[in-house]
Amino acid sequence: MRSEKICVLTQPLWNNYGALLQAWALQQVVLRAGYEVVTDRFPRRFPSFLSNNIDRAKRIVAHYLLGRKSVNPFPFYPSERDWKTISENTETFVQNNISTIDFFEGNVFPSESNIAKFDTFIVGSDQVWRDSYGRVESYFCDFAKGKNKKLISYAASFGLSSWQFDAKRTENFVRLATDFQAISVREDDAVALCDKYLKKEALNVLDPTLLLNSEDYDRLIEKADLSESEGDMMVYILDKNQEKQDLIDKVSRKLNLKAFTVMPDKVLGKDTRRCDSRCVYPKVEKWLKGFKDAKFVLTDSFHGMVFSIIYRKPFAVIANKKRGVARFTSLLSAIGLEDRLFFESDLENLDLIVTKCDFEDAERRLYELKNLSLQFLTSNLEN
């Protein structure tokens, strides 16, 4: 059965540059293959004042009485007004570039009318199967059980190299996975997890952003009204600390480059609880232009690494164990650039960090992986 109307289920289209661009890229690939497609935007909902206070009370009990110190007893709850302020640029990008649907409409299960609109659901990419990032059952399409829908995962990720689920949920996921026509994932470790726990064969494919080329992203940049980048060494660090800042300073001095970043000056809820212009996320296209203009990139982000590769920029990746290392090692080893990943114990080796990359060999390998990935996607949509 050839797919006719397709819905992509991925991480929320909020303020994460990599998540937004992988959603755009996957939609572009499906559109260019001749299909009708929309992506679930999963808009942020804003609980009532009462709901927030109930949540806060539960957190206080968990933190202070139950000893669960990892639970934040006093979280920050942004208002809808604050959210619109900080998201004005990312929201504009979504509205202008991605066809969307509010598929779940704030509920655990989508309406029957929304389910009936589509014959095919693509799950992925990004960490849709990571337990701490959302309701994983939704991304195993539990809503589609018994409804004769075509289910495909494209570059889905567990985010971690170890299995996160108890026996009862694993049994349910095995049952749901049987309905998938084909499963592909983004890491080698995920292939093994699918085989061992889901009893399902999976193929390791490229992140959707790598299915396009730099010229595709250049067209996004050209449509935006952008000023020049503020330096020539792009820094995209998600988890900041003093050690990373020291490394930024050392690398910029070593290469005689000016470090710059394309992020809010203050992250609302993390650096400040007062929303103002400093908290607004810059344009997605400006973030892309940062890679295009850079002479060197230093990052701890998966998609920061990916766009360094797309734009053939010398780069170094600081291993981000908190967010998962498997996706870094899987891609870098596949294209022969595993020496670009550095752990904390490696950060003193400055000469190795600034070493140039062999992009010619990497691009040869990427070309083969891209063909394999596109073949997986298009053949399963067609048949």
Side-chain angles (χ1 to χ4, degrees):
M1 179 187 74
R2 185 183 192 274
S3 299
E4 296 296 336
K5 294 186 177 180
I6 301 167
C7 182
V8 176
L9 304 178
T10 188
Q11 284 295 324
L13 304 182
W14 293 356
N15 292 320
N16 182 301
Y17 294 119
L20 290 173
L21 286 165
Q22 66 82 20
W24 176 77
L26 182 56
Q27 192 169 102
Q28 286 295 304
V29 170
V30 175
L31 284 170
R32 293 176 191 185
Y35 298 93
E36 183 179 337
V37 57
V38 297
T39 299
D40 177 34
R41 64 171 299 122
F42 207 96
R44 183 158 185 164
R45 260 75 187 189
F46 296 89
S48 66
F49 179 76
L50 177 61
S51 296
N52 285 340
N53 279 330
I54 291 173
D55 178 67
R56 185 178 288 111
K58 290 179 178 178
R59 288 170 173 273
I60 290 172
V61 169
H63 184 89
Y64 292 108
L65 298 183
L66 301 181
R68 293 166 58 188
K69 299 303 181 183
S70 61
V71 176
N72 180 4
F74 301 108
F76 176 71
Y77 303 100
S79 68
E80 185 172 3
R81 181 178 178 180
D82 288 345
W83 187 256
K84 287 182 178 179
T85 296
I86 69 173
S87 308
E88 60 183 30
N89 290 320
T90 50
E91 175 62 21
T92 297
F93 177 83
V94 172
Q95 290 180 1
N96 290 344
N97 296 286
I98 305 176
S99 297
T100 64
I101 184 175
D102 184 2
F103 184 67
F104 291 95
E105 299 177 312
N107 301 308
V108 173
F109 292 97
S111 65
E112 291 297 324
S113 61
N114 270 356
I115 297 172
K117 291 175 182 176
F118 307 100
D119 58 69
T120 299
F121 293 91
I122 301 175
V123 176
S125 173
D126 228 328
Q127 299 181 61
V128 289
W129 291 340
R130 186 165 182 170
D131 198 31
S132 59
Y133 281 24
R135 182 178 181 271
V136 177
E137 285 79 359
S138 296
Y139 296 105
F140 274 102
C141 300
D142 59 348
F143 60 83
K145 193 69 179 175
K147 291 183 167 58
N148 194 32
K149 303 294 182 179
K150 182 188 290 186
L151 308 178
I152 303 165
S153 80
Y154 183 81
S157 175
F158 293 100
L160 303 172
S161 57
S162 58
W163 192 249
Q164 310 159 59
F165 311 103
D166 61 26
K168 184 177 180 180
R169 292 183 75 192
T170 299
E171 182 180 355
N172 187 38
F173 292 147
V174 170
R175 182 178 65 90
L176 295 173
T178 60
D179 290 340
F180 276 70
Q181 174 169 302
I183 288 180
S184 66
V185 290
R186 202 173 63 181
E187 298 95 15
D188 291 330
D189 289 348
V191 172
L193 292 175
C194 288
D195 179 64
K196 181 175 181 179
Y197 294 100
L198 297 181
K199 314 303 179 186
K200 190 84 172 179
E201 182 180 352
L203 180 69
N204 185 7
V205 296
L206 290 175
D207 184 86
T209 51
L210 287 161
L211 300 180
L212 302 180
N213 54 45
S214 60
E215 289 77 15
D216 294 303
Y217 299 105
D218 284 345
R219 283 190 281 273
L220 286 176
I221 295 171
E222 290 163 3
K223 289 192 298 182
D225 182 19
L226 299 175
S227 58
E228 291 300 314
S229 295
E230 297 173 358
D232 46 12
M233 178 177 135
M234 174 72 163
V235 175
Y236 185 52
I237 300 294
L238 298 177
D239 295 314
K240 300 176 183 177
N241 58 35
Q242 190 58 51
E243 187 176 26
K244 291 178 184 178
Q245 184 57 54
D246 291 342
L247 180 63
I248 294 168
D249 295 339
K250 290 177 183 177
V251 173
S252 64
R253 287 196 300 268
K254 176 79 171 178
L255 296 175
N256 194 28
L257 299 176
K258 181 182 178 182
F260 73 103
T261 189
V262 183
M263 283 287 283
D265 293 333
K266 298 286 185 182
V267 177
L268 185 64
K270 185 176 181 180
D271 302 322
T272 181
R273 296 195 171 195
R274 179 183 176 184
C275 183
D276 57 34
S277 60
R278 299 173 302 169
C279 302
V280 177
Y281 280 79
K283 291 181 179 181
V284 176
E285 298 89 343
K286 187 172 180 62
W287 186 81
L288 280 173
K289 193 172 189 298
F291 292 94
K292 180 179 174 65
D293 293 346
K295 295 180 180 177
F296 188 86
V297 178
L298 187 62
T299 185
D300 65 353
S301 153
F302 174 75
H303 282 107
M305 175 185 74
V306 164
F307 281 96
S308 302
I309 295 167
I310 289 172
Y311 276 106
R312 293 176 61 112
K313 302 297 181 177
F315 70 96
V317 185
I318 304 169
N320 198 328
K321 293 182 179 180
K322 176 182 176 182
R323 296 173 186 264
V325 178
R327 55 200 172 132
F328 296 87
T329 56
S330 183
L331 176 59
L332 291 175
S333 61
I335 63 175
L337 292 177
E338 54 266 52
D339 65 339
R340 296 292 83 217
L341 181 66
F342 299 90
F343 293 83
E344 291 182 5
S345 58
D346 305 321
L347 298 186
E348 293 300 320
N349 194 340
L350 202 59
D351 288 334
L352 184 58
I353 288 172
V354 301
T355 300
K356 292 185 178 181
C357 310
D358 181 3
F359 283 113
E360 288 189 11
D361 181 54
E363 287 194 343
R364 283 193 294 270
R365 300 189 192 197
L366 273 174
Y367 180 79
E368 296 177 0
L369 293 170
K370 180 177 178 178
N371 286 339
L372 176 68
S373 301
L374 287 170
Q375 175 63 26
F376 169 87
L377 183 58
T378 56
S379 64
N380 279 293
L381 289 175
E382 183 65 31
N383 300 318

